[in-house]
Amino acid sequence: MARAGAILRALALAYRRDQKSLQTVVGNNFFIVSALLLQSAGGFIYLIIGLVLLFPLSTDPLRKIPASRLALWPIQRRERWLLRVVSPWINPLSWAIAGLAVWAARGKVTLGFWGLAAGLFAAGFLLSDLSFVSTQTVWRLIPQFPGPLNQLIRKNLREMLSTLDLYCALLLSLSAVVCRVLRVALPPEGLLAITVLVVLALSSYAQCLFGLDGAGGLGRYRLLPLRGWQILAAKDAAFLLVVIPLTLPLAPLAGIGAALVALTVGHEPSVAHPRKQTRWRFSSGASLVFGIFQAVLMAVGAAGVFFSSALVLIPCAALWALSVLYYGRVMERWFGE
């Protein structure tokens, strides 16, 4: 029992550290704009953030121990059973679900709501232990792209797929698809607003394009026979390849305009002040003021394309190209140091 107790204490410590890393949502543009601008009207946005956070929070704690290492530990059969039964209760969500069950029994929460919460928790717990959900399987589905930047673009897409920002944007886009299927009439301003929110959900990632590369990744960029602008363009290409399909059911041209503005503004902190990010967490922006500044310019660019003319994309694209060239040279100077 002492061995099982030591493992459970280590898991509890790892879980507390893991939950602290989820606090990056506070530095995310999506949360900042929802809290400051939407205020009470941002309830739907908070619900989306909560749903996205639910799955990393509800994973099986024993998954933190590599299976090969756990198999080598001198643990008796009954201790393994004890770990399997007790380890889920390290997760605070387990206690929250149990509390909902007690509340439901007293008639203050419907059984349907309790069942939904428990089902979502169980889905996150079970899916984390199924082999067919392996990220390696998903990575193989990423298509090939023509040109010398193929593998860089694919690698950058894999990085975006391992951020929670993308799944917030995906839920917003899917809500628009549901409205289209149900033939719910959305005003033009509503389409624009949701489009901006979709790009806003990804905008913090545009401020830390190299955050998931790590020190080793940045060192490898020095060895590539590529110019700085090409490396930066591969990052931006992956970003646009995500934004375009997500905004197709909304206002795609306005979405491209907002994305180009987000990347143009985001190059400065990405290159000049790179910050390390954590996979399967929300991206953390440079600062509160910078995030609001980026969001406002995105909204202006998207509104210009949507209400004025698609020709507004030309200055947006020109500014983006100049930004890529300039910060590409900054990267090359950094490589030479």
Side-chain angles (χ1 to χ4, degrees):
M1 294 299 176
R3 289 173 295 195
I7 294 173
L8 289 171
R9 285 193 296 273
L11 285 174
L13 178 61
Y15 230 86
R16 284 196 296 272
R17 291 173 178 170
D18 203 31
Q19 288 164 1
K20 286 181 181 178
S21 69
L22 288 168
Q23 295 173 0
T24 54
V25 65
V26 179
N28 188 274
N29 283 0
F30 196 56
F31 178 82
I32 290 172
V33 172
S34 302
L36 295 182
L37 302 182
L38 298 180
Q39 296 182 5
S40 59
F44 179 65
I45 304 301
Y46 300 142
L47 175 62
I48 287 179
I49 293 174
L51 284 174
V52 172
L53 282 173
L54 180 65
F55 287 95
L57 279 173
S58 61
T59 52
D60 182 0
L62 285 181
R63 293 280 294 174
K64 294 186 177 297
I65 305 173
S68 58
R69 185 174 301 174
L70 184 61
L72 295 174
W73 285 352
I75 304 174
Q76 297 177 358
R77 184 180 180 85
R78 64 176 183 174
E79 289 175 324
R80 292 182 184 276
W81 277 106
L82 178 65
L83 288 173
R84 172 49 61 199
V85 172
V86 177
S87 64
W89 296 100
I90 295 173
N91 190 339
L93 277 182
S94 300
W95 294 97
I97 297 299
L100 280 174
V102 173
W103 204 1
R106 296 178 59 190
K108 294 183 178 180
V109 175
T110 65
L111 288 175
F113 182 80
W114 172 80
L116 175 63
L120 290 172
F121 173 79
F125 187 88
L126 294 174
L127 287 175
S128 68
D129 202 39
L130 295 178
S131 59
F132 70 83
V133 200
S134 169
T135 54
Q136 297 300 324
T137 303
V138 179
W139 298 161
R140 294 192 189 99
L141 299 178
I142 297 176
Q144 302 284 339
F145 300 97
L149 302 180
N150 171 40
Q151 294 303 331
L152 269 184
I153 295 174
R154 298 181 78 234
K155 186 269 296 179
N156 295 329
L157 281 172
R158 289 195 293 270
E159 288 181 352
M160 290 198 70
L161 286 170
S162 62
T163 65
L164 297 184
D165 308 58
L166 184 143
Y167 300 98
C168 266
L170 178 61
L171 284 177
L172 279 169
S173 181
L174 289 177
S175 67
V177 172
V178 171
C179 289
R180 295 282 195 183
V181 172
L182 298 178
R183 297 183 179 180
V184 177
L186 291 174
E189 295 81 3
L191 285 175
L192 176 63
I194 300 175
T195 300
V196 173
L197 283 175
V198 168
V199 184
L200 182 68
L202 298 166
S203 61
S204 290
Y205 178 81
Q207 298 181 33
C208 51
L209 293 171
F210 297 92
L212 294 176
D213 286 316
L218 294 177
R220 283 190 289 272
Y221 284 135
R222 288 189 173 97
L223 304 176
L224 293 176
L226 296 172
R227 300 290 302 273
W229 70 266
Q230 291 175 299
I231 296 172
L232 199 54
K235 290 283 186 184
D236 293 358
F239 190 90
L240 291 170
L241 285 170
V242 169
V243 167
I244 291 172
L246 289 180
T247 56
L248 275 179
L250 297 161
L253 292 180
I256 293 172
L260 290 173
V261 172
L263 290 168
T264 302
V265 177
H267 286 159
E268 198 279 332
S270 293
V271 175
H273 308 286
R275 297 172 317 286
K276 184 179 179 181
Q277 303 292 318
T278 305
R279 294 181 187 276
W280 303 113
R281 297 296 179 265
F282 283 98
S283 301
S284 184
S287 67
L288 171 65
V289 175
F290 194 92
I292 294 176
F293 174 72
Q294 184 188 40
V296 170
L297 289 183
M298 283 168 43
V300 171
V305 174
F306 190 81
F307 292 114
S308 180
S309 168
L311 294 176
V312 176
L313 283 174
I314 296 176
C316 291
L319 289 172
W320 167 79
L322 290 173
S323 177
V324 168
L325 291 173
Y326 175 77
Y327 285 103
R329 290 179 180 176
V330 173
M331 288 182 61
E332 290 174 3
R333 290 198 297 268
W334 177 73
F335 289 162
E337 294 178 357

